[in-house]
Amino acid sequence: MTPLPAPADYSEKIPNNVDLHEDRRLQRALESWQPNFLTWWESMGPTLPTEDVYLRTAVNVGREGWAHFGHVAMRDYRWGIFLAERDRDRRIAFGQHRGEPVWQKVPGEYRADLRRLIVIQGDTEPASVEQQRNLGATAPSLYDMRNLFQVNVEEGRHLWAMVYLLHAYFGREGREEAEELLHRNSGSEESPRILGAFNEETPDWLSFFMFTYFTDRDGKYQLGTLKESAFDPLSRTCEFMLKEESHHMFVGTTGVDRVVERTAQLMLEHDTDDVGGLGGIPLNVIQKYLNFHYSVSLDLFGSETSTNVANYFTAGLKGRWSEERRRDDHRLTDDSIMVDAVVDGRIGQTEVSALVGLNSDLRREYIRDCQNGVNRWNRILEEAGLPQRLRLPHTAFNRRVGAFSGIEVTPEGEVLPAEEWERRKGAWLPTDVDKTHVRSLMRPVHERGKIAAWIAPPRQGINGKPFDYDYVHLA
Amino acid sequence: MSVEHELTVGMVTGEGSMTITAGASGAPEDVRPQEDPGPRSAVGFQTHPSRYRHWHLSVEGPIATLTMDVDEQGGLVPGYELKLNSYDLGVDIELYDAVQRLRFEHPEVRTVVVTGGKEKVFCAGANIRMLAASTHAWKVNFCKFTNETRNAMEDASAHSGQTYLAALNGTASGGGYELALACEHIMLVDDRSSAVSLPELPLLGVLPGTGGLTRVVDKRHVRRDLADYFSTRSEGVGGRKAVQWRLVDEVVPRPRWEETVAERAAEFARTSPRPQDATGVALTPLDRTRTADRVSYRHVTAVLDRDRGCAEITVTGPDAEPPRTVAGVHEQGARFWTLAVTRELDDLILDLRTNETELGTWVLRTKGDPALVLAYDALLLDHAGDWLVNEIVLYLKRTLKRLDVTSRSIIALIEPGSCFAGSLLEPALAADRSYQLSGVFEEGDPAAEPATVTVGPMNLGPLPMGNGLTRLGTRFWGDADALAAATANAGEALEAEDAERLGLVTFAPDDIDWADEVRMAIEERASFSPDALTGLEANYRFAGPETVETKIFGRLAAWQNWIFYRPNASGPDGALRKFGTGQRADFDKKRV
Ligand SMILES: [Fe+2]
Ligand SMILES: [Fe+2]
C-alpha cells in the first residue's frame, strides 16, 4: 500500500483547493482512509490490467486546471478534492432559513439528516465503478475503453468528494461512515449498496451507455438539488461534481448515438430491420434497453410524495432543480402540486401539498431532460431516411417504486392485468435472447484505430487527439 | 444588562416592593398553561429564620419545633391568598432553609416536631389558586422542590439522628398530610373533627403530588384497598380508624396533646446518636452575584448562554490542602471546601431550574487539582463518625440527587486542568453524556497534562442515588464485570482512552474533533423536543430498582404532570377550574 505522502507533499499527491496541507483533521482522517481506498480500487475497481490510460485529471478548479490530460497508471491517479469557488455573499435560497447566510459548518440540528444525504449520494459513486468493473475486457475500442476508465476514476473522485465532506465536517461519525462506503459493495449479499439499482452488474456496453445516459442523469439531478443546499461546502462540492457528471452523460449520449448510427447503416445497407444476424443491435432491442434503464432510473427518484424530502427542503438541506430561477416564494408552505397516482385502478393524478410532492417535481425535470437524448437519436434515424423512432415509455411503465409500483402498464400507458403483462413484457423489456445476443457482440477490440462492428466510431477523439490515438496501453 | 436584583424570600415577602410575576399571568381561574410572563426577577432560595414569614423555629435542648403559621398575604407571587396554612414556593423555601439549618447549626437537636400555628387546621396543602394560576413548568418545578425537601426530612430522620415528628394539631389535608407522611411518627389530635385526608382526586381531579400515594402504601404499609378508599374520600379519616389503617401512628385527646407530643419527642431524642456538647456551624450567606448572563459564587460559576440555550457551569476544586484534623473542618465551618461548594451548587441548581427554564442543557466542567479533591474526600471518609462530616457528605449526596432529577440535559466536558475525581466525578456520572479530551489542546498549553478522571472511595458508596445504588452501580446496572473493572481502577488517574474503555465517559474525541463534536452535541440537543428529552433522560438516569424516591420522581410525578395537563383537570370544565365555583366539573368520561 502507498502510505500517504509527507505533509509538504499533500497538494502534489492529492490536488485540492481545501487547504489540505494545513488541515490536520482532514490529513489525519485521510491517512487511514486513503490506503483503504486504494485497496478497494485494486479489489473492486476495473479488472482489466492496464499500464496506463490517457486520462483527464482535475488539478484545480480554474478553467485550465480542471481538464489536465496525460497518460497515467490508474492506480497512481491523483484523486483530488475540489469545491467550486466560494461565493462569500451566498444566502440560503429556500425553506425556513431563506435569506440567511449559508452555513459553513454543519448545524448540530441537521447533522444526522445532512450526513444521511451525503452518505446516500456517496454510496452511488463507488457503486457504479463496481458495477462496471468487468467492462474493460469487452471494450469496442481503445477510445471507448478510455472513456469507461475516465468515468470510473471520476466516480472514484466523487467518492473522495463525499468522503471529504464526511471527514471535514462530521467528526468521528463521519469517519465511520466514510469507512463504510468502502465496505458496502455492489451486489454483495451481506452488505449491498444502499440503492437497489446500484446492485446490478452492468453486463454489456449497451447497458453501460444507457446507464451513463439515464442513471448518471439521475445523479445529475440529485447533485443539482444538493448544489442548492444551505450547507455551503456541500453546495460547492456538488457544483464541481456536476461538471464531471456532464462528461459521463456525454459518454452515454454519444455512445447511444453511435449504436443507433451503426444500426441505421446496417438497416440501410441490407434493407432489413433485423440487423442481429449482421453483427448489429436491432432498433427494437435498443428500445427495450432504453425502456429498462429509463424506468429503473425513474424509480431512483423515490415515491411521488415524501415527508423526508419536504423536511429537507424546509430545513434548507436540499432544494429544487434550478431553485433560484423559480418564481415562487421558495418556501412552498401554501402551495400544492399534482402528483401521479392510481385512481380507481387507473392512471391519474392527485393533489398534494407542494412540499411533500418535491420528488415528483424533480422527476418531471428529469423526464424533460431525458427526452432531449431521444430526440437526438431520432434525428440520426431521420437523417438516415428511416421511418422508425425511439421513444420514452410511459412514466408508469415497469415501475417498482411509487404510485405505479402496484400496476402493470404498457409503454403506451395502457394498464394490463398481471398475467397479460407477464405474457407480453418480452416485447418491451430485454429478454434473455436479446441479452445473449448483445453479449455475444461484446468482443474486445484492443487495436488502435479499430472498432467493433456493432457501433460506429466517434466523430472526434479526446482532447483533439485522433480516434486511432493510443488511449490505453494494456499491461 | 445591569446586575439584576437577587431576591431572597425575605426581600420578596418582606420590605421589598418588587413584584414577582412568574407563573402568575392571567386570571387565577385560567388554569391553562401560560406563556412565559416575560421579564421578571429571579427567585432566590437563600433566607434565614430571622426573615421567615411562614414558620417559627424554636429550639429547646434536643427538641426543635417547626411551627407552620403561613401569612395569608405572603404569597411569593400576587394573585392568591395563602389561606388555611396552604403553601406556595415561598413557604417551602423557608421550610427547606429550616431543615438545612437544623442539621448544620443545631447538632444538639435530635427531634424536630412539625406542627401548625392555626386553630383546627394543621395544613391544607399547596395553594389551589396558586397552582391554578401557574404555568405547567412552574408547577412541576415547585412539586420537585417540595418533594426534595420532604426527602431531606426523611434523610435527616434516617441518617442524622434528627427524627421528624408530625404533631397534627388539626386537619392535615393533601400536601399537609403529605408533609406529615415525610415524618417518622404522625400524631393526630383526637377532637372528633380533625382528620388526615388526600382530597386531591375527589375535589380537584388531580393527584397528591408530593409523595402521598407512594408513602401511604410503601412507607406506612396502608393496605392498598383501604388506601384507595381513603384517597377518594375528601373528608379523610380521623380518630381510631386512622390509627387502625396506619394512616397515623397515634391519636391523642386534646387535653393531653402537648404533654404527649413532648413525651414522644423526648423518646425519639433518647435514641439519637447525635453528639452531646457539639457546637453548630453557621450557614453564612453565600457570596453570590447574579447578572443577566452569569451567576457566580466562590467555587461555582454559571455562564448563561441564551443563544445556545445552555448554561456552562464550572465547579472549582479546592485551592489548598484540607485541614489536617477534623477539628479543622469544624473551624472552617461553612468555608470548608466540600460544604461551600455543595451549598453553592445546591443554590445554583435551584436557581437555574426555577429561573432559567429555557436553558435546556447544562454543560458541566470542573477546574482544579484532582489530588486535592481526593484529599478532601479522604478526610471526610476518615471521620465519617463525626456529626459535621456526616452532615456534609449527606448534603453532597442530596445535592447530587437534585442533578439526577433535574429536567435539563447534562453534558460533562472533561478537559485538561479539570478535577473529575471522587466527589467531583459524581457530576460527570450524573450527566447524560460526557466527553473527555484525548490528549491536550494544541492551541492551549501543549505542555498541559491530559485530562483524567479518577474513581475514588466517594464513588463507591457514600453518595447513592435515589434508587439506592451508586451512580457507578446504576451506570453499569446488570454488568457486574464493568462495575468491577471500574472499581478495580479506583485511585488511577485515567486518561481518555482508558476512561472510555472502562465506560466512565461516553466519548473521547481528540483536539482535532473536540470543538465540533461538542458544538454539534449541544446544538443538536437544543433542537430536540424539550419534553421528549426530559422523558428520555428521566428514564435512562434511573436504571435498577425502584424505591420510594424513584417512584415519587418517576411514576408519581409523571402521572401527576400528565393529569394536570388534561382537560379533565385544567380544561374550562375541568375539576381544577371548577373548584370553588359551586359548579361541578364536566369530565370527558373516556379512560385513556
Ligand atoms: Fe458521480
Ligand atoms: Fe457519474
Side-chain angles (χ1 to χ4, degrees):
Chain A
M1 284 194 279
T2 317
L4 204 69
D9 230 345
Y10 275 121
S11 315
E12 176 53 28
K13 284 280 169 65
I14 305 175
N16 70 87
N17 68 342
V18 295
D19 294 331
L20 175 58
H21 62 286
E22 51 190 43
D23 189 333
R24 289 185 303 131
R25 176 210 302 257
L26 204 52
Q27 288 169 19
R28 197 250 323 253
L30 286 175
E31 260 157 43
S32 62
W33 187 81
Q34 193 248 18
N36 293 342
F37 169 80
L38 287 178
T39 308
W40 168 82
W41 180 264
E42 297 281 287
S43 62
M44 297 306 293
T47 52
L48 186 75
T50 51
E51 201 122 288
D52 57 31
V53 183
Y54 187 67
L55 291 174
R56 178 181 59 225
T57 306
V59 293
N60 66 52
V61 291
R63 191 180 260 276
E64 323 267 84
W66 92 278
H68 195 90
F69 286 88
H71 279 99
V72 286
M74 269 198 284
R75 194 180 194 291
D76 298 333
Y77 188 77
R78 291 155 70 212
W79 281 283
I81 301 170
F82 292 104
L83 279 64
E85 295 290 0
R86 178 167 166 196
D87 168 3
R88 300 201 168 260
D89 299 323
R90 186 171 169 247
R91 295 195 168 253
I92 299 170
F94 60 96
Q96 66 182 10
H97 302 292
R98 175 169 154 79
E100 296 170 21
V102 292
W103 315 318
Q104 300 305 329
K105 287 174 170 179
V106 176
E109 182 174 354
Y110 302 129
R111 138 156 91 176
D113 283 341
L114 274 170
R115 198 182 58 219
R116 184 81 190 141
L117 285 170
I118 291 168
V119 166
I120 290 181
Q121 179 63 40
D123 196 64
T124 65
E125 310 291 355
S128 60
V129 176
E130 294 164 355
Q131 292 175 288
Q132 296 158 11
R133 62 191 304 246
N134 293 319
L135 286 177
T138 57
S141 71
L142 291 180
Y143 164 90
D144 288 290
M145 187 190 288
R146 177 265 162 207
N147 281 348
L148 167 71
F149 293 150
Q150 181 72 51
V151 171
N152 289 165
V153 292
E154 274 167 1
E155 297 302 5
R157 204 202 67 75
H158 293 175
L159 171 61
W160 275 72
M162 293 295 121
V163 164
Y164 157 70
L165 292 173
L166 291 170
H167 280 173
Y169 295 97
F170 293 87
R172 179 182 43 81
E173 290 173 330
R175 289 195 295 276
E176 286 166 11
E177 292 284 10
E179 200 55 46
E180 286 304 305
L181 288 174
L182 298 175
H183 293 313
R184 281 186 293 268
N185 289 137
S186 179
S188 155
E189 283 279 314
E190 318 84 78
S191 55
R193 290 292 171 188
I194 297 170
L195 299 175
F198 289 89
N199 284 304
E200 305 285 339
E201 194 189 343
T202 309
D204 57 64
W205 279 78
L206 181 58
S207 298
F208 171 65
F209 292 137
M210 290 292 179
F211 182 95
T212 43
Y213 186 81
F214 289 108
T215 307
D216 271 317
R217 193 170 306 272
D218 157 74
K220 165 183 162 184
Y221 280 83
Q222 300 302 337
L223 290 175
T225 61
L226 295 176
K227 189 188 85 147
E228 304 293 336
S229 181
F231 177 42
D232 202 39
L234 174 62
S235 162
R236 293 164 57 210
T237 298
C238 292
E239 190 177 336
F240 190 75
M241 285 164 73
L242 276 166
K243 268 190 180 177
E244 289 161 326
E245 213 57 69
S246 68
H247 172 261
H248 306 176
M249 286 173 288
F250 162 85
V251 170
T253 313
T254 56
V256 179
D257 277 359
R258 289 157 53 213
V259 178
V260 172
E261 186 184 335
R262 179 62 181 152
T263 299
Q265 258 172 27
L266 289 169
M267 286 166 74
L268 289 176
E269 274 171 26
H270 300 273
D271 191 21
T272 172
D273 287 356
D274 186 13
V275 298
L278 303 166
I281 303 176
L283 215 46
N284 74 325
V285 175
I286 296 174
Q287 177 70 56
K288 288 184 195 181
Y289 272 66
L290 183 161
N291 289 350
F292 174 77
H293 285 275
Y294 174 69
S295 56
V296 168
S297 298
L298 287 182
D299 278 348
L300 288 172
F301 290 84
S303 309
E304 281 67 20
T305 60
S306 162
T307 48
N308 273 346
V309 174
N311 292 339
Y312 294 156
F313 183 86
T314 301
L317 312 185
K318 195 178 175 199
R320 287 171 295 174
W321 183 256
S322 301
E323 183 66 50
E324 278 162 84
R325 269 185 268 145
R326 306 227 185 182
R327 283 154 197 259
D328 53 33
D329 71 352
H330 301 275
R331 294 183 200 267
L332 308 181
T333 42
D334 304 319
D335 300 347
S336 63
I337 183 178
M338 299 300 290
V339 300
D340 292 336
V342 176
V343 183
D344 301 329
R346 271 191 300 215
I347 293 169
Q349 290 207 319
T350 177
E351 187 171 352
V352 299
S353 82
L355 280 173
V356 304
L358 285 172
N359 276 347
S360 298
D361 178 85
L362 189 63
R363 183 158 29 224
R364 266 169 215 159
E365 295 286 340
Y366 169 81
I367 291 170
R368 210 169 299 149
D369 194 7
C370 287
Q371 185 61 46
N372 294 332
V374 178
N375 296 345
R376 180 185 164 113
W377 304 324
N378 284 338
R379 229 166 8 248
I380 295 170
L381 295 173
E382 193 182 337
E383 280 164 17
L386 290 167
Q388 290 90 338
R389 295 292 178 265
L390 294 166
R391 53 206 182 88
L392 293 177
H394 193 276
T395 319
F397 171 79
N398 191 38
R399 295 292 301 282
R400 297 294 168 257
V401 173
F404 300 135
S405 59
I407 56 170
E408 300 298 356
V409 174
T410 66
E412 288 72 37
E414 181 197 339
V415 181
L416 296 181
E419 320 80 70
E420 192 179 347
W421 161 263
E422 273 309 314
R423 213 170 51 243
R424 294 174 60 190
K425 71 177 180 190
W428 309 311
L429 290 171
T431 62
D432 287 342
V433 174
D434 298 329
K435 292 181 200 165
T436 308
H437 171 66
V438 171
R439 225 170 295 144
S440 74
L441 300 177
M442 298 297 131
R443 301 236 189 78
V445 177
H446 290 172
E447 228 172 306
R448 276 175 67 171
K450 294 277 168 63
I451 191 156
W454 56 271
I455 186 169
R459 251 152 255 225
Q460 280 148 9
I462 297 298
N463 193 32
K465 301 283 185 248
F467 171 67
D468 66 359
Y469 185 66
D470 55 343
Y471 289 108
V472 180
H473 295 124
L474 293 167
Chain B
M1 266 178 81
S2 60
V3 176
E4 277 180 45
H5 288 278
E6 182 213 318
L7 295 182
T8 64
V9 169
M11 287 170 68
V12 175
T13 57
E15 62 286 353
S17 58
M18 234 120 356
T19 306
I20 293 185
T21 55
S25 64
E29 54 274 13
D30 181 7
V31 297
R32 294 299 300 171
Q34 310 286 313
E35 289 303 307
D36 191 297
R40 58 168 197 245
S41 304
V43 175
F45 287 79
Q46 294 181 66
T47 183
H48 186 271
S50 63
R51 300 202 298 267
Y52 289 174
R53 211 165 157 182
H54 310 293
W55 295 86
H56 306 296
L57 173 58
S58 65
V59 176
E60 270 177 61
I63 315 289
T65 304
L66 250 178
T67 308
M68 186 183 204
D69 192 5
V70 176
D71 177 352
E72 284 190 13
Q73 305 306 318
L76 187 58
V77 174
Y80 52 84
E81 292 179 339
L82 296 172
K83 293 190 169 152
L84 298 170
N85 251 5
S86 62
Y87 60 83
D88 68 355
L89 180 61
V91 176
D92 235 70
I93 286 172
E94 292 183 9
L95 173 62
Y96 175 55
D97 183 74
V99 171
Q100 281 295 94
R101 288 187 193 277
L102 279 166
R103 298 178 81 158
F104 283 95
E105 299 185 349
H106 297 280
E108 77 281 12
V109 167
R110 298 160 162 240
T111 306
V112 182
V113 176
V114 181
T115 191
K118 310 272 190 226
E119 288 290 309
K120 294 275 180 192
V121 58
F122 164 70
C123 167
N127 186 276
I128 305 305
R129 298 249 161 209
M130 177 277 294
L131 287 177
S134 299
T135 61
H136 189 68
W138 179 272
K139 278 196 284 268
V140 171
N141 183 58
F142 165 71
C143 282
K144 186 171 290 169
F145 175 70
T146 56
N147 268 316
E148 287 170 325
T149 303
R150 280 137 195 79
N151 290 345
M153 290 163 57
E154 289 187 329
D155 184 58
S157 298
H159 302 295
S160 287
Q162 208 166 61
T163 304
Y164 277 74
L165 186 156
L168 309 180
N169 58 317
T171 288
S173 52
Y177 178 49
E178 291 180 292
L179 182 58
L181 285 167
C183 299
E184 293 320 291
H185 188 83
I186 305 176
M187 307 173 74
L188 174 64
V189 69
D190 189 7
D191 56 5
R192 305 215 157 259
S193 69
S194 292
V196 295
S197 68
L198 292 177
E200 281 86 347
L201 186 141
L203 288 188
L204 305 170
V206 297
L207 301 181
T210 28
L213 299 186
T214 313
R215 289 197 174 92
V216 162
V217 286
D218 275 80
K219 179 181 181 184
R220 300 199 58 92
H221 310 300
V222 176
R223 223 173 65 206
R224 56 163 280 202
D225 51 345
L226 299 177
D228 176 287
Y229 175 73
F230 167 67
S231 307
T232 55
R233 194 180 142 95
S234 56
E235 68 273 33
V237 174
R240 274 191 23 217
K241 196 188 275 177
V243 179
Q244 277 169 8
W245 289 8
R246 300 203 190 108
L247 293 165
V248 303
D249 294 287
E250 58 182 315
V251 286
V252 182
R254 198 171 274 290
R256 297 198 47 235
W257 175 249
E258 289 190 6
E259 166 197 349
T260 316
V261 169
E263 247 169 53
R264 214 60 79 230
E267 272 169 37
F268 280 109
R270 272 197 289 281
T271 58
S272 166
R274 280 185 79 92
Q276 289 293 350
D277 325 298
T279 311
V281 162
L283 297 179
T284 51
L286 292 177
D287 175 10
R288 169 185 199 262
T289 51
R290 197 185 205 287
T291 63
D293 53 12
R294 196 179 181 89
V295 190
S296 35
Y297 308 81
R298 213 169 114 55
H299 307 285
V300 179
T301 49
V303 176
L304 315 180
D305 187 337
R306 296 176 205 286
D307 291 338
R308 290 193 306 149
C310 72
E312 305 223 31
I313 299 170
T314 304
V315 179
T316 312
D319 52 15
E321 293 285 336
R324 254 187 289 273
T325 62
V326 72
V329 179
H330 286 259
E331 197 189 301
Q332 289 188 4
R335 284 178 297 119
F336 180 71
W337 175 77
T338 313
L339 178 53
V341 80
T342 303
R343 289 184 71 205
E344 293 174 1
L345 195 56
D346 188 20
D347 190 69
L348 179 69
I349 293 170
L350 295 174
D351 179 327
L352 294 183
R353 273 192 200 168
T354 306
N355 300 310
E356 302 294 347
T357 48
E358 293 193 16
L359 303 183
T361 302
W362 291 358
V363 177
L364 280 178
R365 290 185 180 83
T366 58
K367 214 167 81 189
D369 180 355
L372 285 181
V373 178
L374 293 170
Y376 273 75
D377 286 358
L379 174 69
L380 292 169
L381 294 172
D382 286 348
H383 298 93
D386 177 80
W387 75 268
L388 176 59
V389 166
N390 182 46
E391 289 303 343
I392 292 172
V393 174
L394 290 170
Y395 183 25
L396 177 58
K397 174 191 74 174
R398 294 193 302 278
T399 302
L400 290 165
K401 283 185 187 183
R402 282 210 208 274
L403 271 184
D404 297 329
V405 297
T406 291
S407 55
R408 304 289 190 279
S409 299
I410 304 175
I411 296 178
L413 297 185
I414 302 160
E415 298 169 349
S418 66
C419 51
F420 286 95
S423 48
L424 282 195
L425 177 60
E426 287 295 311
L429 297 173
D432 299 296
R433 241 189 250 176
S434 51
Y435 292 79
Q436 182 173 0
L437 181 73
S438 168
V440 295
F441 291 121
E442 295 212 348
E443 289 194 356
D445 173 10
E449 293 291 316
T452 60
V453 298
T454 312
V455 173
M458 274 292 186
N459 309 114
L460 304 175
L463 304 171
M465 297 173 57
N467 60 7
L469 304 176
T470 61
R471 281 179 190 76
L472 278 179
T474 305
R475 188 177 189 83
F476 298 120
W477 178 244
D479 189 349
D481 292 345
L483 179 58
T487 309
N489 279 276
E492 301 286 331
L494 301 165
E495 292 188 14
E497 289 72 24
D498 289 334
E500 189 186 27
R501 182 175 46 76
L502 288 167
L504 293 168
V505 299
T506 321
F507 297 115
D510 62 11
D511 170 50
I512 297 177
D513 283 336
W514 180 264
D516 240 26
E517 291 283 330
V518 168
R519 175 184 67 80
M520 283 201 273
I522 293 170
E523 284 182 7
E524 183 181 58
R525 209 76 182 173
S527 74
F528 292 136
S529 155
D531 301 330
L533 280 177
T534 298
L536 180 88
E537 291 153 2
N539 276 283
Y540 284 153
R541 287 177 190 174
F542 293 94
E546 285 273 34
T547 62
V548 168
E549 278 186 37
T550 63
K551 283 185 182 176
I552 288 170
F553 288 118
R555 194 182 306 188
L556 181 60
W559 279 114
Q560 173 74 317
N561 295 339
W562 179 73
I563 294 164
F564 255 125
Y565 225 81
R566 295 269 303 154
N568 282 339
S570 55
D573 295 319
L576 265 182
R577 191 144 173 181
K578 291 292 185 201
F579 178 70
T581 64
Q583 297 169 41
R584 282 174 60 92
D586 188 10
F587 292 128
D588 174 353
K589 296 290 187 187
K590 283 194 284 297
R591 284 283 187 125
V592 178

